[in-house]
Amino acid sequence: MLTISQLAAYAGVTVRAVRHYHAKGLLPEPERDQSGYRRYGAAAVVELVRIRILADAGVPLSRVRELLSAADPEFAQAVRDIDLRLRAEIRERQQHRERIARLASGESLALPPEAVAYLDRMRELGFGERLVDIERDSWILIAAQIPDEVGTFMAIKHAQIEHEPLRRLYLDIESMADCTHDDPRLPELADRVVVFIEAAAAVAHELETGVPEDYQVSDALAHLLDSAFCETFPWATRLLELLEERGWTGWTNIRRLTLPT
Amino acid sequence: MLTISQLAAYAGVTVRAVRHYHAKGLLPEPERDQSGYRRYGAAAVVELVRIRILADAGVPLSRVRELLSAADPEFAQAVRDIDLRLRAEIRERQQHRERIARLASGESLALPPEAVAYLDRMRELGFGERLVDIERDSWILIAAQIPDEVGTFMAIKHAQIEHEPLRRLYLDIESMADCTHDDPRLPELADRVVVFIEAAAAVAHELETGVPEDYQVSDALAHLLDSAFCETFPWATRLLELLEERGWTGWTNIRRLTLPT
DNA sequence: TGCCGCCCTGACCCAGCGTCAAGGTCAAGC
DNA sequence: GCTTGACCTTGACGCTGGGTCAGGGCGGCA
């Protein structure tokens, strides 16, 4: 008769594993000797080897129990199921490999390549780290929420920073990075923003396009982006208030305020 | 400010996952409002999205923590490590697929194809299920212990059952399947076995090959196989005793008894 | 005021064992 | 006969990445 460690050695598993299989009901508990030790016969080695062969083929232990006593057709079905699962797991890993490869090459963690290009262009044009950071974070959020539309919005953004007057507005925003709520430049900035917005609205009206809906993100996302903006620049909250005084609300999706009657 | 469920919705994860990341230290615990609710800013969404991007690329959460704040070289190293792990896991799954494919095709669970052929041949030659079963179990054990030598031993076995006198001996052994310890045919059987063994030994002596060591399995395996034999046929224990009286010990590795002086 | 939905913490659950912990047993050497 | 070291027993906690209660505290709406 064999002790548990001898049994385990014959089957090439650990003692702990054998006890685990007992607990799971894969291997029947053998007789005990007078001191309570488990005593195994050769048949137990055969059973244990069969368990390990299935387990080594990637069969989960819960199915091993069924399969040990399965007839051919159920066995074949189970094998198909397991093969499907293995294929799915392999595909999953392969997708993971592609993703981390992209993370490694694209230096920047969560951004599509066009966004990386945009941020680089911002740096070239003299934007500082504060504004680049908030833009990066914004694009991380946009890419996470509406990955398919990043391209569209990115094109708009690119056009904006290449448009010189608008770029100067942005640069001025950045130069105010550390100003306070009552900075006298804030009302002035609000005025300049309104000029831009109204000019754009007039052009849109002239072209009879109205406010192009396609260029608006969802309200929830717009609100989130506005929050991120306000978290980075505390004075932005005040700026939004000043804009509301001038009849405009929001920032990402800035729109004319509908006054309460 | 966002509640935990809003945060989770923005990042496409569950509330439970967010709390899990807090517990793991991946995402800093935010301020609480006066009623103890967590309140998040937009920056938390960005952090959470970054966590998910890494996690979705198969990075274990424990490494995500390091990677979030890693500089480029460590990041690159970590990516290489993770890619290695993913490749290893894919290879593992592919081997699992091959193995279960073989299990499915080879009908018989733990046997190499030559063993399956051998068992089929036994059935053709009129051996019954009892003997085929013990042979199957024996070959499961042999294949598990010394897979590389199965071919060698299998060849011997094939030759043995094709040798007619020996085959008849085996068939007679099976016909005694249910006999008792004191069956009169047992001593007779023992005599016949000894005749065979001594003839084989004489031939070996004549050819000056001695007992061919290559054809012997390890003592431990031989003992295990003998045990399996005795478990299947209770009278086999008695047979081994009778053989010892006749100067031979063991069954799988039967050898001349060295008498105590 | 009651109800519904959201929030909180704490705790158990899954696989497949590894790894103590605390104590009983066995064989061998002195 | 005593000690030592190896081996046996059960029980419990650990890992990953959360899911899923349970029990109780809030918030806003009719």
Side-chain angles (χ1 to χ4, degrees), chain A residues 142-183:
Chain A
I142 294 167
Q145 305 282 320
I146 44 172
D148 295 341
E149 298 165 60
V150 166
T152 314
F153 291 112
M154 204 73 248
I156 301 172
K157 269 297 196 178
H158 259 296
Q160 286 184 356
I161 57 166
E162 299 299 342
H163 181 59
E164 210 233 323
L166 202 47
R167 180 165 70 238
R168 256 188 309 180
L169 180 66
Y170 283 150
L171 285 166
D172 289 346
I173 285 176
E174 183 169 32
S175 72
M176 296 172 64
D178 294 308
C179 81
T180 57
H181 267 211
D182 49 4
D183 193 297

Side-chain angles (χ1 to χ4, degrees), chain A residues 185-204:
Chain A
R185 290 171 301 173
L186 273 178
E188 202 180 307
L189 180 62
D191 289 334
R192 287 177 59 199
V193 169
V194 167
V195 167
F196 267 101
I197 296 298
E198 300 201 324
V203 169

Side-chain angles (χ1 to χ4, degrees), chain A:
Chain A
M1 299 297 272
L2 306 170
T3 67
I4 195 170
S5 61
Q6 291 173 317
L7 168 70
Y10 275 129
V13 304
T14 65
V15 170
R16 181 68 181 89
V18 174
R19 287 202 268 251
H20 188 60
Y21 300 153
H22 285 319
K24 290 274 163 182
L26 296 186
L27 192 63
E29 282 274 0
E31 307 274 298
R32 307 293 182 112
D33 66 12
Q34 86 291 350
S35 59
Y37 290 13
R38 293 175 178 86
R39 289 296 173 168
Y40 299 90
V45 183
V46 175
E47 268 309 277
L48 189 46
V49 166
R50 288 159 52 91
I51 290 171
R52 280 316 308 170
I53 285 172
L54 286 170
D56 287 341
V59 180
L61 294 190
S62 53
R63 307 218 59 177
V64 168
R65 186 171 37 222
E66 312 157 20
L67 287 194
L68 282 175
S69 56
D72 258 20
E74 337 166 35
F75 187 83
Q77 181 58 48
V79 164
R80 275 193 295 276
D81 292 352
I82 292 158
D83 194 57
L84 275 178
R85 187 178 55 79
L86 288 173
R87 282 218 304 246
E89 287 178 5
I90 289 173
R91 261 202 310 279
E92 197 184 334
R93 262 72 177 181
Q94 282 166 344
Q95 283 170 3
H96 286 172
R97 287 196 64 198
E98 287 170 22
R99 288 194 194 158
I100 55 161
R102 256 179 287 158
L103 290 188
S105 64
E107 76 173 294
S108 186
L109 207 57
L111 292 172
E114 59 263 53
V116 175
Y118 168 68
L119 297 178
D120 286 344
R121 180 68 179 143
M122 281 183 79
R123 293 197 189 88
E124 276 174 32
L125 292 172
F127 290 94
E129 276 312 305
R130 282 288 277 286
L131 207 59
V132 174
D133 280 356
I134 170 71
E135 281 293 303
R136 177 176 52 78
D137 282 5
S138 297
W139 287 101
I140 287 176
L141 293 174
I142 294 167
Q145 305 282 320
I146 44 172
D148 295 341
E149 298 165 60
V150 166
T152 314
F153 291 112
M154 204 73 248
I156 301 172
K157 269 297 196 178
H158 259 296
Q160 286 184 356
I161 57 166
E162 299 299 342
H163 181 59
E164 210 233 323
L166 202 47
R167 180 165 70 238
R168 256 188 309 180
L169 180 66
Y170 283 150
L171 285 166
D172 289 346
I173 285 176
E174 183 169 32
S175 72
M176 296 172 64
D178 294 308
C179 81
T180 57
H181 267 211
D182 49 4
D183 193 297
R185 290 171 301 173
L186 273 178
E188 202 180 307
L189 180 62
D191 289 334
R192 287 177 59 199
V193 169
V194 167
V195 167
F196 267 101
I197 296 298
E198 300 201 324
V203 169
H205 184 77
E206 201 167 293
L207 298 175
E208 295 179 345
T209 52
V211 179
E213 287 291 329
D214 288 353
Y215 294 177
Q216 303 259 319
V217 298
S218 76
D219 283 355
L221 179 54
H223 188 73
L224 184 64
L225 294 173
D226 290 359
S227 300
F229 181 45
C230 293
E231 281 174 29
T232 304
F233 302 115
W235 50 260
T237 313
R238 177 70 188 139
L239 177 65
L240 292 185
E241 280 172 27
L242 291 168
L243 287 175
E244 296 219 344
E245 285 172 15
R246 284 155 181 78
W248 292 87
T249 184
W251 179 253
T252 305
N253 271 358
I254 196 161
R255 60 171 64 136
R256 218 179 282 276
L257 199 58
T258 50
L259 290 176
T261 47

Side-chain angles (χ1 to χ4, degrees), chain B residues 160-172:
Chain B
Q160 286 183 357
I161 57 167
E162 300 301 342
H163 180 59
E164 209 233 324
L166 202 48
R167 179 165 73 238
R168 257 188 309 180
L169 180 65
Y170 282 149
L171 285 166
D172 289 345

